[in-house]
Amino acid sequence: MTGLVIRALGEHDAHLFHALPDPGLVGRARFGHTYATLAQGGEYRPEWTWVALRGERVVARAAWWGGPDDTAPKALDWFDFADGEADAGARLLRAAPLHAEYNLLAPPGWRADPELRAAVRSRADAAVAGGLTPLVERYRYEWTPADGLPPRPGRLVFRPEPDDTTVAAVLRRVLVGTLDAHDRRVMATGGPDAAVEENMELLHWLPSPREWWRLAHTPAGELVGIHVPARNPSAPCVAYVGVVPEQRGHGYAFDLLAECTHDLFGYGAERIVAATDRGNTPMAAHFARAGYPVAQERLDFV
């Protein structure tokens, strides 16, 4: 078998990314996403796009993504390889000097389809062989006005909170007993302060107004939690919903989600994306009640 050459692309040969046939079963191609460099009007940088070649044939590819001002990638968006070339894919991941979370996208109910199940499994196995670690499976939701605005229970009072120190203190309380795998992973190594810092950095990174953030209280003034309607680089999103421990058990996360949806709709959103861990059954139930359909399932690797 011809030896493997692994390298980054340049603007002059970025077209090689498309030389690998993709059946579009899973991954970003399944959901209509396309690859184009910044110079081509897209989102990707050639130096963050790597391919594995046997002779002139592309047998594996990977493309990392970051925002316009990011100096390191935020996510591994694309990871694909030809039939029989899983090892080449794994070797590519090990050779590239880039690291970010990999989100493997699949259609809802993919486990019931043998072809989809095999496609997911092969990429997951290659990602692990390439040095990544499975973290969590997630549901990704996509709401449109056709799904209907969820009812507002009217039990809470929502107010902006301009002080980051106050917001950080609320996040620290919300993290107690969290079911979120990403937060639990950060806290396992860096403690609650590290998780608070990571969440605050992400919320500030989002290209939407800071004044949209809201704290929720009971009419008597007791803190209940926080919700953050926002925009990510591609769509309006439910960036954060969290309830402090002493207020759990009353279904308040639904109130927060409903308010967040109404806020985003009021800001002109015609599509709202959101996500939660597959194992976070209480939050998944709130999304279902609020009319958010599952648009994708996602396997996250770090």
Side-chain angles (χ1 to χ4, degrees), residues 80 122 185 198-199 216 246 299:
D80 309 290
S122 66
R185 173 177 175 265
E198 182 174 280
N199 278 294
E246 62 269 25
L299 288 74

Side-chain angles (χ1 to χ4, degrees), residues 81-133:
F81 43 85
D83 288 344
E85 294 285 0
D87 182 63
R91 290 173 62 185
L92 186 158
L93 292 184
R94 291 196 300 268
L98 301 164
H99 185 83
E101 183 174 304
Y102 171 43
N103 307 136
L104 171 53
L105 310 181
W110 59 269
R111 286 177 176 80
D113 184 309
E115 190 176 25
L116 291 174
R117 193 166 62 244
V120 169
R121 190 74 270 148
S122 66
R123 278 172 176 74
D125 289 346
V128 171
L132 299 178
T133 301

Side-chain angles (χ1 to χ4, degrees), residues 6-18 35-53 60-68 70 73 76 78 92 96-98:
I6 299 173
R7 63 175 178 85
L9 295 179
E11 196 64 55
H12 67 287
D13 62 359
H15 63 277
L16 288 177
F17 186 85
H18 302 286
Y35 174 91
T37 66
L38 292 169
Q40 296 166 340
E43 301 179 272
Y44 297 97
R45 310 180 197 189
E47 64 272 23
W48 289 358
T49 304
W50 284 61
V51 293
L53 303 103
R61 67 186 185 187
W64 285 262
W65 175 89
D70 290 330
L76 171 59
W78 299 81
L92 186 158
L98 301 164

Side-chain angles (χ1 to χ4, degrees), residues 32-291:
H33 299 277
T34 57
Y35 174 91
T37 66
L38 292 169
Q40 296 166 340
E43 301 179 272
Y44 297 97
R45 310 180 197 189
E47 64 272 23
W48 289 358
T49 304
W50 284 61
V51 293
L53 303 103
R54 293 195 187 279
E56 299 298 316
R57 186 167 71 97
V58 177
V59 296
R61 67 186 185 187
W64 285 262
W65 175 89
D69 299 323
D70 290 330
T71 58
K74 292 285 189 186
L76 171 59
D77 273 3
W78 299 81
F79 175 52
D80 309 290
F81 43 85
D83 288 344
E85 294 285 0
D87 182 63
R91 290 173 62 185
L92 186 158
L93 292 184
R94 291 196 300 268
L98 301 164
H99 185 83
E101 183 174 304
Y102 171 43
N103 307 136
L104 171 53
L105 310 181
W110 59 269
R111 286 177 176 80
D113 184 309
E115 190 176 25
L116 291 174
R117 193 166 62 244
V120 169
R121 190 74 270 148
S122 66
R123 278 172 176 74
D125 289 346
V128 171
L132 299 178
T133 301
L135 176 62
V136 69
E137 295 187 29
R138 288 172 67 79
Y139 294 125
R140 183 182 182 276
Y141 303 92
E142 187 167 315
W143 178 94
T144 68
D147 297 306
L149 282 166
R152 281 169 153 155
R155 299 186 294 173
L156 302 177
V157 177
F158 297 91
R159 293 193 291 267
E161 175 48 68
D163 180 52
D164 274 4
T165 302
T166 300
V167 171
V170 173
L171 293 180
R172 201 179 200 285
R173 292 171 64 183
V174 168
L175 287 169
V176 175
T178 181
L179 298 177
D180 185 89
H182 288 80
D183 285 334
R184 290 165 68 96
R185 173 177 175 265
V186 174
M187 288 194 292
T189 55
D193 289 342
V196 169
E197 181 179 358
E198 182 174 280
N199 278 294
M200 290 293 290
E201 287 179 356
L202 173 61
L203 294 177
H204 276 294
W205 175 84
L206 292 167
S208 46
R210 166 65 176 81
E211 55 267 26
W212 286 4
W213 305 10
R214 293 289 185 269
L215 297 187
H217 296 81
T218 66
E222 297 174 343
L223 176 68
V224 169
I226 178 173
H227 80 81
V228 179
R231 291 193 188 101
N232 65 32
S234 61
C237 64
V238 178
Y240 200 93
V241 168
V243 176
V244 295
E246 62 269 25
Q247 298 288 0
R248 292 172 188 163
H250 304 291
Y252 283 140
F254 176 83
D255 302 49
L256 296 169
L257 176 59
E259 192 70 16
C260 194
T261 306
H262 278 266
D263 283 354
L264 287 167
F265 181 71
Y267 299 145
E270 297 182 359
R271 179 172 71 103
I272 301 171
V273 298
T276 196
D277 290 0
R278 192 166 183 261
N280 190 344
T281 52
M283 197 65 219
H286 292 313
F287 276 113
R289 181 185 169 196

